[in-house]
């Protein structure tokens, strides 16, 4: 074996959604591309995504559906590679799909079809993919990046960091991208687990006895609100509404839950008139899952028939039910987080090409960047769009 590194036009670290899209685009533009991943196969997160059916995009994807220290950063890439572009690709491969809810598109069959499609696209661009290859060293000199990995070494004028964020370490996720970024002088916005269940302690731990109960709610953190299902778990709160709000929640803050988003103002006073002999528990049982109604009713000091309860007491109960304050003591952490909020700061990157302003040739794409989507296909759309933008520029 010679010691000469193999020459490429671009080396991409990470064979996830962003890396594979970027490789396919650059390869099909005639670039000689090498993709290196330490995992034993490409696209592992795609395979487990969307319960195995991959929620591959969301037709509502726009920059307002993403969290970032710079909310404008994602606009350019998202505007140039849209959900319709990915749908056209999926259709070209004859992959059947459906809209589940809220603009979320899933494969009818399996997430494997998406990985197979991306690998096929890479093959059309003569991309070389090497899996099971840990990266040992990155050298940067004379405008070239030299990567020592596994048994080999490769050299290129362009390096793309597509190694994702640290969510779900057991899938091979690491904070590698942040180490590389810091080494090249790029800033990192503090990474936090996102789209993650919240945990309850103290007095609120009592709610854990509701484990398994689900109900449609509006969950609020600050000015942000999501109306979807919430689920009580043996550790605290989960379900789509909670996962969404977890991305906005900060340690020490409370979240507000409206348990009865369907009920208009004054509904308890109306219930008093319509069913004066009923108690609060009975009324709550008619609009909420039984165990949840039991638990909430227990927490009010409203005994007896509604007919004997003053209106102002009912109004106070209504207000509390519409903005029940939970004080999570934490999250289930990166082990359970679907994504990472934060990451490599966009201030150091071009929104057009994803290239580092201070290090020509170095690009960062996908979840490694401080751009995080809502639940519902937004994160893959960012992976495709940022990968496409960099792929056009290599
Ligand atoms: C359980 C689960 C379900 C999800 N479902 C959806 C969904 O349905 N829709 C949606 O939009 N989003 C979903 N997401 C989020 C989505 O998977 C990610 O946002 C997306 O995969 C990010 O793509 P990426 O290419 O940036 O990173 P990744 O897909 O994480 O790819 C990074 C790659 O880099 C490799 N790597 C990491 N460190 C190194 C290293 N040191 N050296 C070499 N290689 C390395 C990894 O092995 C991996 O292959 C889900 C996430 C999880 C965890």
């Amino acid at each position: 074996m010679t010691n000469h590194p193999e020459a490429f036009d671009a080396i991409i670290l990470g064979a996830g959604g962003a890396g594979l899209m970027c490789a396919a685009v650059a390869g099909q533009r005639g670039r000689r591309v090498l993709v290196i991943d330490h995992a034993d196969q490409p696209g592992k997160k795609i395979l487990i995504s969307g319960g195995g059916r991959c929620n591959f995009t969301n037709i509502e994807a726009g920059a307002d559906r993403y969290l970032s220290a710079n909310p404008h950063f994602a606009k350019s890439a998202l505007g140039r590679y849209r959900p319709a572009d990915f749908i056209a690709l999926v259709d070209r491969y004859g992959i059947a799909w459906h809209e589940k809810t809220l603009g979320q598109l899933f494969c009818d069959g399996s997430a494997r079809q998406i990985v197979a499609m991306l690998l096929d696209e890479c093959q059309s661009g003569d991309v070389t993919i090497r899996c099971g290859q840990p990266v040992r060293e990155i050298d940067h000199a004379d405008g070239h990046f030299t990567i020592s990995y596994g048994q080999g070494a490769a050299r290129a004028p362009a390096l793309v960091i597509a190694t994702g964020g640290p969510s779900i370490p057991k899938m091979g996720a690491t904070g590698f991208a942040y180490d590389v970024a810091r080494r090249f002088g790029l800033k990192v916005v503090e990474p936090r687990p996102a789209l993650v269940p919240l945990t309850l302690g103290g007095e609120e731990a009592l709610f854990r006895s509701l484990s398994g109960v689900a109900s449609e709610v509006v969950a609020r953190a600050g000015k942000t609100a999501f109306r979807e299902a919430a689920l009580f778990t043996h550790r605290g709160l989960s379900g789509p509404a909670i996962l969404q709000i977890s991305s906005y929640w900060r340690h020490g803050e409370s979240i507000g839950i409206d348990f009865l988003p369907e009920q208009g103002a004054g509904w308890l006073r109306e219930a008093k008139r319509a069913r004066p002999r009923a108690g609060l528990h009975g009324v709550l049982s008619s609009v909420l899952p039984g165990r949840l109604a039991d638990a909430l009713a227990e927490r009010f000091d409203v005994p007896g028939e509604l007919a004997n309860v003053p209106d102002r007491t009912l109004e106070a109960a209504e207000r509390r039910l519409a903005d029940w304050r939970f004080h999570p003591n934490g999250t289930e952490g990166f082990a359970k987080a679907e994504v990472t909020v934060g990451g490599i700061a966009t201030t150091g990157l071009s929104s057009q090409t994803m290239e580092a302003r201070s290090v020509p040739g170095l690009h960062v794409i996908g979840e490694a960047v401080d751009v995080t989507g809502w639940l519902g296909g937004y994160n893959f759309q960012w992976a495709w769009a940022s990968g496409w933008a960099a792929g056009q520029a290599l």
Side-chain angles (χ1 to χ4, degrees), residues 168-193:
I168 322 272
K170 72 170 192 241
M171 301 291 307
T174 64
F176 177 82
Y178 311 146
D179 300 338
V180 178
R182 287 194 188 101
R183 184 198 139 182
F184 283 103
L186 300 178
K187 292 207 168 73
V188 175
V189 176
E190 189 204 347
R192 293 182 283 125

Side-chain angles (χ1 to χ4, degrees), residues 17-72:
L20 292 175
M21 172 61 87
C22 181
V25 170
Q28 290 177 23
R29 290 178 56 247
R31 304 294 180 267
R32 291 165 305 159
V33 180
L34 170 66
V35 183
I36 302 171
D37 200 302
H38 67 176
D40 55 358
Q41 58 173 315
K44 277 182 132 176
K45 272 197 188 167
I46 299 175
L47 293 175
I48 59 158
S49 68
R53 291 218 158 88
C54 186
N55 178 193
F56 56 80
T57 194
N58 192 301
I59 50 178
E60 308 291 345
D64 61 335
R65 304 291 162 103
Y66 293 83
L67 290 83
S68 172
N70 176 1
H72 302 293

Side-chain angles (χ1 to χ4, degrees), residues 51-369:
R53 291 218 158 88
C54 186
N55 178 193
F56 56 80
T57 194
N58 192 301
I59 50 178
E60 308 291 345
D64 61 335
R65 304 291 162 103
Y66 293 83
L67 290 83
S68 172
N70 176 1
H72 302 293
F73 180 83
K75 280 184 185 164
S76 171
L78 290 172
R80 284 183 299 144
Y81 191 86
R82 294 169 184 271
D85 295 309
F86 196 77
I87 294 167
L89 182 62
V90 165
D91 285 346
R92 190 145 57 75
Y93 277 78
I95 299 172
W97 53 269
H98 61 279
E99 179 180 342
K100 198 168 169 192
T101 175
L102 302 169
Q104 304 169 2
L105 306 191
F106 286 74
C107 298
D108 288 357
S110 159
R112 289 185 186 287
Q113 296 171 286
I114 299 292
V115 176
M117 175 187 83
L118 292 167
L119 292 177
D120 202 73
E121 286 292 294
C122 283
Q123 206 170 23
S124 304
D126 274 334
V127 172
T128 305
I129 301 178
R130 298 203 176 126
C131 286
Q133 304 288 328
V135 174
R136 280 185 282 114
E137 216 175 305
I138 301 175
D139 281 322
H140 183 223
D142 305 327
H144 276 77
F145 298 88
T146 305
I147 311 298
S148 308
Y149 65 92
Q151 302 295 312
R155 189 171 190 268
L159 177 66
V160 183
I161 308 299
T163 51
S167 44
I168 322 272
K170 72 170 192 241
M171 301 291 307
T174 64
F176 177 82
Y178 311 146
D179 300 338
V180 178
R182 287 194 188 101
R183 184 198 139 182
F184 283 103
L186 300 178
K187 292 207 168 73
V188 175
V189 176
E190 189 204 347
R192 293 182 283 125
L195 300 183
V196 64
L198 299 172
T199 54
L200 296 176
E203 293 234 312
E204 291 175 336
L206 293 174
F207 278 97
R208 302 196 311 219
S209 65
L210 293 180
S211 180
V213 172
S215 187
E216 175 154 333
V217 303
V218 172
R220 287 197 182 82
K223 290 191 176 137
T224 309
F226 291 95
R227 180 170 175 165
E228 282 190 71
L231 170 72
F232 288 91
T233 72
H234 66 291
R235 297 193 61 188
L237 296 165
S238 187
I242 301 300
L243 298 181
Q244 296 280 33
I245 215 68
S246 73
S247 303
Y248 292 84
W249 175 79
R250 298 276 186 162
H251 269 276
E253 291 176 357
S254 63
I255 59 165
I257 299 290
D258 181 350
F259 280 113
L260 292 158
E262 279 297 322
Q263 305 297 334
W267 74 275
L268 267 180
R269 269 187 289 124
E270 280 163 31
K272 172 175 163 178
R273 270 188 287 281
R275 297 170 60 195
R277 313 297 293 273
L280 181 64
H281 177 255
V283 172
L284 288 181
S285 299
S286 64
V287 288
L288 286 170
R291 281 163 64 203
L292 178 57
D294 297 348
L296 294 177
E298 258 174 38
R299 285 164 173 80
F300 284 102
D301 187 19
V302 182
E305 297 174 355
L306 288 186
N308 301 324
V309 180
D311 281 358
R312 64 173 189 287
T313 305
L314 293 179
E315 282 158 16
E318 249 183 44
R319 281 197 297 277
R320 192 166 170 211
L321 287 164
D323 188 25
W324 196 281
R325 287 281 136 188
F326 284 99
H327 301 80
N329 62 2
T331 75
E332 292 197 24
F334 282 117
K336 292 282 164 63
E338 254 185 44
V339 286
T340 306
V341 159
I344 298 173
T346 58
T347 42
L349 304 175
S350 155
S351 62
Q352 305 284 313
T353 63
M354 313 303 293
E355 187 173 16
R357 294 180 201 289
S358 54
V359 190
L362 180 68
H363 296 69
V364 192
I365 57 176
E367 197 180 320
V369 181

